[in-house]
Amino acid sequence: IAVVLSSRTGAGAIGDPYGYPGSATGLLRLGLIPAHELPGHKARLQLMLALGNGLRGAALRAYFEEG
């Protein structure tokens, strides 16, 4: 299952310096794909397009890194 992590703030990337269980840092360590600057609704559309085109694993992660 592909899970993309995004922020619901008005602007800005995800991230936190703390690393406590459940933090963005902890979730990314577990393998979630960071949406970076994309808001949730756009990250969802990008994920649907990527999965629909057959991207999985490393290719899917690279697709989100490209922006």
Side-chain angles (χ1 to χ4, degrees), residues 5-31:
L5 180 64
S6 67
S7 173
R8 293 192 67 186
T9 61
I14 58 168
D16 70 75
Y18 307 110
Y20 55 87
S23 69
T25 303
L27 294 172
L28 293 172
R29 269 193 226 121
L30 292 174

Side-chain angles (χ1 to χ4, degrees), residues 26-41:
L27 294 172
L28 293 172
R29 269 193 226 121
L30 292 174
L32 274 69
I33 300 169
H36 300 292
E37 298 284 334
L38 284 178
H41 64 285

